[in-house]
Each structure stands twice: as structure tokens, then as C-alpha cells.
């Protein structure tokens, strides 16, 4: 790493600072701050909403005056989208919290969100203004209980690898002077005794267990290069308040604009968000997913944690060298158009394969679907990062989803409609053709669901019930469709690619009752 990129570097670890007051974490907002934040959100949100309603009314007048649809789109609506994009981006960056996550999701939906908005909000995937370097240093040192120099040869605090809604990630190198003893762990107690125990710099002032750097170096990659994920202080209480506001907005949109139970989606997301703040859980899940892909690491790679350097709010893992998929275009400018198309399809296929294997073969999957969590590595290998939001599908939902995937691959509308009902989706209308369109729009990249379009199957069908366990599966498919649109990959079907995984899941789960039959049985007992 170049010297100017290194915020911190030292040759010898200094003694730890004297004990001080613990870092104040998860400090709740006061009543006045709650009111101010809520008012700020709603004033900005209603301004954006009113802008679109006014633009909609003006469009009717312009259409009556003879404007063509193309002119309306390119002149009238484009200006509104640019204005709204700036307003949305400013709202997300100024207020941060859960609004950042909402902006990340919208920015990944190029299949129906206007290009102007997608382009602006896509900056939120990995380019959120980070917390200051000194604050990051304080959080890391308080979590580990030792100075940075006791753990890292260097760490880049000035330029994070990425920063998002609840955390940011820094590149670092571990201090590993004893790596030559890596394969002889039984000598470690003898060595510790001979050297007179742990260094003063290894002992946590608060009395917690010492940081075992020799163990950490045994767990880390040979290079010692790691990624250090650090959680923002006070992020959880802010998220909780934001979710309340988003839930109210979801209820309003469900009644006025979209025939879909958005409130249940927000509730499911809220349950997952709480888990996202537990970095120990994230490390366990990340390691479990990494084991899924051990035999495929020439195509798909997942980081592994350094367990002895993981706390509730700090996660040290091996560093994956790659380009975020959001920045891939600038790295392929010199390639021919044919090569670009071939590379884009290959990369999308590998991302889709990774999710198909997670969903259908194991059920444990990375559920925070946005492009900032996907890296393109050397040779076209895919790196999947960030397991804070992860989900395990139950066997019954996995079996039902396998049946839906196979039905969509066959293409018979009656089978697709029946399989959609099998996962527990209840609609107002029982039109098989319309339900099949809805299924493809939700669970296959071939389909399309624009919830604001008058022709949307969501509006025509009306969804009365959607199983919470399937919200994150829906989110994965929407991510893949957004990637396909952004990468200009046409005629790509994730259902078609997932067919062999669905067949394998069907064999594994033969005889497992489907969610719809379970619900009917429970209802009959009441």
C-alpha cells in the first residue's frame, strides 16, 4: 500500500492507554431529536411525492396540448426524475440510518426505477460519506481493548473500502511476527511461558480476555491482509425510529399506489435489521456460506472471519481483491462490445448461480441484495460480501420454491399459478395467466413487475397475503433483474439456470409439506 494511503503505521506496539470510560454506544435519541428527525423525513418525503403528483397533473395538460409520449418522457418527466434523484440522495445521505438501505434498494432497481434516479442512488451502494478516521480508530480500539499498533502493522482509516448504512470497512495488515510457528500450535503454551506471559499491550485494560495475536494470525490469510468492518456508534436506535417512519409510508403507499402488503415486508425487514447489528452472528453465517462454496472457489468466493478478532461490533475477515460490480463498466471501457457482452453474461450467470445454490441447496443465503455487496475478481470470479442480513429458508419453503422454479422453467401457466399458491401467495383474482405473470415478475428475471404501471400484475391481481419468509427471496430476484438491466444482458432467466438446483432440492425434500398446506392444516385446527 502506498505511504500516502496509510492513515496509521507503526513499528513497535506502544503500551495501552490508561483505562477510561467505556465508549457510549446505542445512545437513544431524545424526544426532541426524535420529533426533529421524523419531521425532517416527512417534510422531504412529502415534497418528493407532491412533486410527482404535480408533474403528473401537468403531464395531462401537456398531453392535451399535443405533446407526444416521447417528448413527455425525455423533457417533462426526465427533469422531474433528475430533481427527485437529488432530493432522494440528499435525504439518504443527510439522515443516513435505514433511509440509506431504502435508497440502496431503489438504486438497484433499474428494471423499473427511472435511470436518472438509479444512477444517483447507486452511489449509495459503496460511496456513503464515512465516519471520521479518528472516530473509527476510537471504535476499533475500544472493541479490541488494545491500541491499533498491537493488532495491525497498518490500517487505512482515511479511505474506507466501503461505507454503508450501519458500518464501514477498512483495509489493514495484521501484526504477525510469529507466523513461522503456524503449524505447531502445541508449542504456543511453552513459548508464552518462556516469554513471561502476554505483553502489556496484549492485555485489555477493562479486564477482558487478551487479544491472542498468534491465534489470530493462524486464522488469518498468509498475507496478513484483512478487511476490518466497524459498526457506527448509535446506529441501532436511529434505525428503529426510521423503520417506524418507513412502515407508515409503506402503509400509505399500499392503500394509495400499490396493491401489495408493503407493511409486512417492512416488518420482516425490521426483524432482520436487529440481527444485522450482531457481528458475531454475521461471522458465523459468513463462514458457513464460505464452506458451501469451498469446492467452487475458482468461480465464487466468500470471505472468512478471523474469529479471535470478532466482537459484537467489529468483524475482521480476509480481504477479497476485486472491483465492485457497480464500477465494472469503467474497467471494461477498452474491450470490444462483443467481449463486454460475453463478460457481462458470464458474471451475471455466476452471481445468479451463487444465489441459486444458497437458496435451493442449503437455504442459508445472503439477503442484503444490492450491487455494492458483489465484487468481480481476477478471472471473472465473483466475491460475495456482507452477511449482516442473512436468512435461512425452512425446508417447507425451500421445497415450495423448488416447485415454483421448475414450474416457471416448464412455462405452463396453470402449473406456475398453482406453484405460486403453494408458497403461500394469496391473490384477489384467480386468473392463472395473470398469476403466472405475477410469478415471473417476482421470482424470475424474465418477468417484469413495475408496481406503479397500470398494467402491473400486482395491481391487476391484488396480493392479499405474501409469506414473510419469501420477501428476501423476492429481493434476491429483483437484484438479479436489476443487474441484468444495468449490464444490458437480455433473455436471461434465473429460473432456467436454477433448474438443476431445484431438482436436487426436490429430491432432498421429498415428502416435506408445503407452506400452503401447513397453513390450511393450522387453520382447520382452529
Amino acid at each position: 500500500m502506498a505511504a500516502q494511503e496509510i492513515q496509521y503505521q507503526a513499528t513497535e506496539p506502544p503500551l495501552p492507554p490508561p483505562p477510561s470510560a467505556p465508549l457510549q454506544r446505542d445512545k437513544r435519541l431524545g424526544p426532541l431529536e426524535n420529533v426533529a428527525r421524523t419531521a425532517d423525513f416527512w417534510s422531504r418525503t412529502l415534497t418528493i411525492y407532491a412533486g410527482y403528483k404535480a408533474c403528473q397533473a401537468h403531464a395531462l395538460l401537456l398531453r392535451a396540448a399535443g405533446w407526444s409520449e416521447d417528448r413527455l418522457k425525455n423533457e417533462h418527466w426526465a427533469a422531474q426524475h433528475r430533481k427527485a434523484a437529488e432530493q432522494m440522495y440528499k435525504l439518504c445521505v443527510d439522515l443516513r440510518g435505514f433511509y440509506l438501505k431504502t435508497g440502496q434498494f431503489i438504486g438497484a432497481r433499474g428494471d423499473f426505477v427511472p435511470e436518472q434516479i438509479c444512477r444517483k442512488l447507486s452511489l449509495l451502494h459503496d460511496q456513503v460519506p464515512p465516519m471520521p478516521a479518528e472516530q473509527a480508530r476510537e471504535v476499533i480500539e475500544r472493541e479490541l481493548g488494545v491500541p491499533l499498533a498491537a493488532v495491525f502493522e497498518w490500517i487505512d482509516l482515511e479511505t474506507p473500502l466501503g461505507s454503508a448504512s450501519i458500518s464501514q470497512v477498512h483495509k489493514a495488515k495484521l501484526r504477525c511476527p510469529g507466523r513461522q510457528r503456524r503449524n505447531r500450535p502445541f508449542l504456543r503454551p511453552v513459548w508464552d511461558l518462556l516469554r513471561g506471559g502476554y505483553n502489556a499491550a496484549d492485555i485489555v485494560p477493562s479486564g477482558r480476555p487478551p487479544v491472542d495475536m498468534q491465534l489470530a494470525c493462524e486464522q488469518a490469510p498468509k498475507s496478513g491482509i484483512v478487511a476490518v468492518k466497524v459498526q457506527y456508534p448509535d446506529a441501532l436506535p436511529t434505525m428503529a425510529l426510521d423503520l417506524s417512519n418507513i412502515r407508515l409510508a409503506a402503509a400509505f403507499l399500499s392503500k394509495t399506489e400499490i396493491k401489495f402488503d408493503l407493511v409486512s415486508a417492512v416488518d420482516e425487514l425490521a426483524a432482520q435489521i436487529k440481527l444485522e447489528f450482531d457481528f458475531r452472528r454475521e461471522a458465523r453465517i459468513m463462514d458457513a456460506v464460505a464452506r458451501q462454496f469451498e469446492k467452487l472457489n475458482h468461480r465464487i468466493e466468500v470471505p472468512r472471519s478471523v474469529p479471535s478478532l470478532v466482537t459484537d461490533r467489529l468483524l475482521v475477515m480476509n480481504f477479497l481483491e476485486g472491483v465492485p460490480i457497480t464500477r465494472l463498466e469503467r474497467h471494461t471501457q477498452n474491450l470490444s462490445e462483443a467481449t463486454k457482452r460475453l463478460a457481462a453474461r458470464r458474471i451475471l450467470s455466476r452471481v445468479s448461480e451463487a444465489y441459486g445454490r444458497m437458496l435451493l441447496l442449503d437455504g442459508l443465503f445472503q439477503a442484503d441484495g444490492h450491487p455494492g455487496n458483489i465484487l468481480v475478481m481476477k478471472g471473472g470470479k465473483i466475491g460475495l460480501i456482507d452477511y449482516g442480513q442473512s436468512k435461512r429458508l425452512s425446508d417447507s419453503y425451500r421445497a415450495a420454491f423448488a416447485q415454483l422454479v421448475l414450474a416457471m422453467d416448464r412455462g405452463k401457466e396453470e402449473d406456475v399459478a398453482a406453484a405460486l399458491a403453494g408458497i403461500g401467495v394469496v391473490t384477489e383474482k384467480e386468473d392463472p395467466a395473470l398469476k403466472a405473470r405475477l410469478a415471473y415478475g417476482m421470482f424470475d428475471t424474465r418477468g417484469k413487475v413495475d408496481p406503479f404501471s397500470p398494467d402491473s400484475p400486482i395491481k391487476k391481481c391484488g396480493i392479499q397475503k405474501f409469506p414473510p419468509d419469501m420477501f428476501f427471496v423476492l429481493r434476491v430476484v429483483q437484484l438479479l433483474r436489476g443487474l441484468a438491466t444495468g449490464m444490458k444482458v437480455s433473455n436471461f432467466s434465473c429460473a432456467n439456470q436454477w433448474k438443476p438446483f431445484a431438482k436436487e432440492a426436490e429430491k432432498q425434500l421429498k415428502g416435506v409439506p408445503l407452506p400452503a398446506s401447513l397453513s390450511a392444516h393450522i387453520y382447520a385446527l382452529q
Side-chain angles (χ1 to χ4, degrees):
M1 179 175 286
Q4 64 268 25
E5 292 179 336
I6 300 172
Q7 159 68 14
Y8 166 79
Q9 188 167 359
T11 53
E12 293 295 331
L15 290 174
S20 56
L23 182 67
Q24 205 169 19
R25 301 181 300 189
D26 288 351
K27 179 184 174 185
R28 291 187 175 276
L29 298 176
L32 291 178
E33 291 171 307
N34 280 343
V35 171
R37 185 175 177 83
T38 298
D40 197 358
F41 167 74
W42 280 106
S43 66
R44 295 179 191 232
T45 301
L46 291 174
T47 298
I48 295 168
Y49 182 74
Y52 270 103
K53 284 300 179 182
C55 194
Q56 195 175 47
H58 192 197
L60 291 174
L61 296 175
L62 294 175
R63 193 176 286 111
W67 280 40
S68 67
E69 292 302 319
D70 283 345
R71 188 181 177 191
L72 280 171
K73 178 182 176 182
N74 296 330
E75 296 182 29
H76 182 64
W77 284 109
Q80 172 60 26
H81 294 327
R82 283 192 296 271
K83 180 181 176 182
E86 292 295 336
Q87 292 171 323
M88 291 179 188
Y89 179 79
K90 199 166 186 319
L91 185 156
C92 294
V93 170
D94 289 351
L95 298 183
R96 301 178 74 101
F98 188 73
Y99 306 128
L100 272 178
K101 283 204 169 292
T102 306
Q104 288 170 344
F105 178 73
I106 295 171
R109 296 305 315 277
D111 52 319
F112 77 85
V113 174
E115 180 189 356
Q116 297 87 342
I117 294 175
C118 267
R119 191 185 306 117
K120 188 68 180 180
L121 295 189
S122 67
L123 298 175
L124 300 174
H125 292 144
D126 59 357
Q127 298 180 51
V128 177
M131 66 175 158
E134 281 307 311
Q135 188 179 17
R137 175 199 294 270
E138 181 185 8
V139 174
I140 295 170
E141 288 185 339
R142 291 304 183 96
E143 283 300 310
L144 293 175
V146 294
L148 291 182
V151 180
F152 305 108
E153 284 189 22
W154 53 258
I155 179 168
D156 184 357
L157 295 177
E158 289 293 344
T159 311
L161 295 168
S163 50
S165 50
I166 75 163
S167 61
Q168 60 192 46
V169 182
H170 301 270
K171 188 176 182 181
K173 184 174 183 180
L174 294 179
R175 179 177 294 282
C176 293
R179 189 172 286 280
Q180 66 271 19
R181 296 185 298 279
R182 182 181 180 95
N183 295 321
R184 293 181 289 168
F186 63 92
L187 292 178
R188 283 176 48 228
V190 178
W191 170 249
D192 288 340
L193 181 63
L194 291 174
R195 71 181 180 135
Y198 287 97
N199 290 330
D202 292 331
I203 306 299
V204 179
S206 63
R208 286 179 288 181
V211 174
D212 189 337
M213 282 308 299
Q214 187 166 321
L215 178 59
C217 291
E218 288 171 3
Q219 297 165 338
K222 289 181 180 180
S223 66
I225 303 297
V226 293
V228 182
K229 182 174 181 178
V230 56
Q231 193 176 123
Y232 300 137
D234 305 332
L236 182 55
T238 302
M239 281 273 192
L241 175 64
D242 297 346
L243 278 163
S244 299
N245 287 322
I246 291 289
R247 193 179 192 277
L248 190 56
F252 173 75
L253 288 173
S254 293
K255 291 185 178 298
T256 60
E257 303 289 343
I258 307 171
K259 283 190 176 182
F260 188 79
D261 184 8
L262 291 174
V263 174
S264 294
V266 173
D267 288 343
E268 175 67 9
L269 195 53
Q272 289 294 315
I273 285 291
K274 293 174 185 175
L275 300 176
E276 192 172 354
F277 286 84
D278 182 355
F279 282 7
R280 293 184 194 275
R281 174 185 178 272
E282 177 176 353
R284 291 193 300 271
I285 291 172
M286 181 173 68
D287 292 344
V289 175
R291 289 192 291 272
Q292 288 185 45
F293 293 111
E294 275 179 334
K295 295 181 181 178
L296 295 168
N297 62 7
H298 60 291
R299 296 204 303 270
I300 302 160
E301 188 167 355
V302 172
R304 285 183 180 269
S305 71
V306 180
S308 55
L309 295 178
V310 176
T311 73
D312 290 344
R313 300 158 191 267
L314 186 79
L315 171 54
V316 178
M317 69 200 96
N318 62 305
F319 170 72
L320 298 189
E321 186 76 57
V323 177
I325 201 168
T326 51
R327 304 179 197 171
L328 186 62
E329 190 173 352
R330 71 187 73 168
H331 290 266
T332 58
Q333 289 176 347
N334 297 327
L335 300 178
S336 68
E337 288 302 317
T339 304
K340 284 182 186 178
R341 286 195 299 272
L342 186 65
R345 183 169 287 275
R346 182 183 183 188
I347 289 166
L348 178 61
S349 177
R350 287 185 174 179
V351 175
S352 177
E353 177 192 359
Y355 278 107
R357 287 179 177 277
M358 286 189 281
L359 287 167
L360 291 159
L361 298 185
D362 189 79
L364 180 64
F365 65 100
Q366 192 253 45
D368 193 8
H370 69 74
N373 291 338
I374 302 169
L375 301 177
V376 181
M377 303 171 70
K378 189 175 181 180
K381 183 162 68 171
I382 294 301
L384 294 179
I385 60 175
D386 195 346
Y387 291 80
Q389 276 190 49
S390 301
K391 181 84 177 171
R392 184 179 285 282
L393 275 185
S394 67
D395 285 351
S396 63
Y397 276 107
R398 196 153 57 96
F401 186 57
Q403 290 192 10
L404 178 59
V405 167
L406 293 173
M408 290 190 296
D409 180 67
R410 290 192 300 270
K412 191 175 178 182
E413 289 178 344
E414 290 78 6
D415 290 351
V416 175
L420 185 67
I423 64 172
V425 176
V426 179
T427 58
E428 293 174 0
K429 294 183 180 178
E430 290 299 320
D431 181 340
L434 199 55
K435 288 180 73 172
R437 269 186 66 204
L438 182 66
Y440 281 111
M442 288 183 162
F443 296 111
D444 189 14
T445 46
R446 280 177 294 185
K448 184 176 181 180
V449 173
D450 178 351
F452 299 103
S453 168
D455 191 44
S456 168
I458 289 180
K459 284 194 173 183
K460 289 188 171 183
C461 238
I463 298 176
Q464 292 181 324
K465 181 183 176 185
F466 192 93
D469 277 6
M470 295 303 293
F471 279 122
F472 286 96
V473 180
L474 172 64
R475 192 174 175 186
V476 165
V477 177
Q478 305 314 305
L479 164 70
L480 295 175
R481 184 182 296 127
L483 288 176
T485 302
M487 298 169 76
K488 299 179 176 62
V489 177
S490 57
N491 302 318
F492 180 81
S493 167
C494 62
N496 179 261
Q497 187 187 31
W498 294 349
K499 179 180 176 181
F501 309 142
K503 284 187 172 181
E504 180 63 28
E506 202 172 40
K507 287 179 187 176
Q508 289 177 12
L509 303 168
K510 191 174 182 180
V512 172
L514 303 186
S517 61
L518 285 173
S519 298
H521 179 64
I522 292 168
Y523 181 78
L525 292 176
Q526 291 176 341

